[in-house]
């Protein structure tokens, strides 16, 4: 990190990495929305999971179990 060129390139590489991750997440979201039998419920469960992990710092396995529960609830209520 002492090299000037390396330090100058880091912000650009970080921005490129974030952009690629964002593009991949957006692409996966659209693909799941298209193939899911419950597209709206799937999108809402995904948003709840993101907020639970990112904002509320809930332990990830609990979020997965909650997503399973919400998915079963959506399937049982036939929420399309």
């Amino acid at each position: 990190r002492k090299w000037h060129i390396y330090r100058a390139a880091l912000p650009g590489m970080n921005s490129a990495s974030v952009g690629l991750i964002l593009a991949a997440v957006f692409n996966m979201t659209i693909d799941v929305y298209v193939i899911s039998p419950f597209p709206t419920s799937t999108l809402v469960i995904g948003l709840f999971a993101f907020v639970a992990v990112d904002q509320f710092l809930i332990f990830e396995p609990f979020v997965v179990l909650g997503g399973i529960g919400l998915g079963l609830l959506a399937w049982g209520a036939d929420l399309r």
Side-chain angles (χ1 to χ4, degrees):
R1 294 188 183 205
K2 294 180 180 180
W3 297 346
H4 176 69
I5 294 174
Y6 180 73
R7 281 196 341 241
L10 276 179
M13 288 189 286
N14 189 27
S15 298
S17 303
V18 170
L20 288 172
I21 291 171
L22 184 63
V25 168
F26 182 75
N27 191 19
M28 286 189 302
T29 302
I30 296 301
D31 289 346
V32 168
Y33 188 79
V34 168
I35 65 171
S36 175
F38 304 103
T40 305
S41 300
T42 303
L43 188 61
V44 169
I45 291 170
L47 289 173
F48 276 142
F50 173 75
V51 170
V53 172
D54 189 57
Q55 298 297 317
F56 298 123
L57 305 175
I58 298 175
F59 190 49
E60 289 85 356
F62 295 144
V63 174
V64 171
L65 292 175
I68 291 170
L70 288 174
L72 290 173
L73 183 67
W75 173 73
D78 199 26
L79 299 175
R80 293 185 190 264

